[in-house]
Amino acid sequence: QVQLVESGGGLVQAGGSLRLSCAASGRTFSRYAMGWFRQAPGKDREFVAAISRNIANTYYRDSVKGRFTISRDNAKNTVYLQMNSLKPEDTAVYYCAAASATSTVQVDYDYWGQGTQVTVSS
């Protein structure tokens, strides 16, 4: 069982930056691949970024490549999402999730956080 708690969301102007954090409970954090997803009002939840257990591999949706960076600190049981050059279309609730293997597909993730709101004003 893994419990995930996101933080770091907020209101930022277009072009600004935010760093999201996701703290995981338990001693098995390093056994899980981690992902970030987001859901904008009236839209389906979508994949944003993922990182493998050993940090060797990262994956991003095309619209955030070059602007967002996913990272993790296994010693701190935390995964991060650094978001730069934010755009109004990045406005959404952002969720972190844990999976047994690296994936860009929501159904592969077993554990989810409660989400943190990111709002980008134009």
Side-chain angles (χ1 to χ4, degrees), residues 6-88:
E6 301 97 334
S7 61
L11 173 64
V12 64
Q13 289 188 331
S17 298
L18 283 174
R19 187 175 83 154
L20 305 183
S21 299
C22 174
S25 65
R27 300 181 179 179
T28 59
F29 176 73
S30 61
R31 298 180 184 178
Y32 292 92
M34 299 297 296
W36 286 96
F37 294 79
R38 66 186 181 187
Q39 186 167 22
K43 296 186 176 181
D44 293 334
R45 190 160 56 185
E46 63 185 19
F47 167 77
V48 177
I51 187 166
S52 61
R53 289 173 289 182
N54 62 2
I55 313 179
N57 299 300
T58 57
Y59 304 88
Y60 299 92
R61 70 178 299 105
D62 286 346
S63 63
V64 308
K65 286 180 180 177
R67 299 189 298 122
F68 290 12
T69 302
I70 188 171
S71 62
R72 66 190 294 166
D73 186 336
N74 286 341
K76 295 183 178 179
N77 284 9
T78 302
V79 62
Y80 305 96
L81 186 67
Q82 177 67 43
M83 305 185 296
N84 299 328
S85 302
L86 281 161
K87 304 176 181 180

Side-chain angles (χ1 to χ4, degrees), residues 98-121:
S100 57
T102 313
S103 174
T104 63
V105 180
Q106 294 187 51
V107 295
D108 291 336
Y109 285 80
D110 301 310
Y111 304 101
W112 292 81
Q114 82 290 348
T116 185
Q117 177 70 48
V118 172
T119 303
V120 184
S121 63

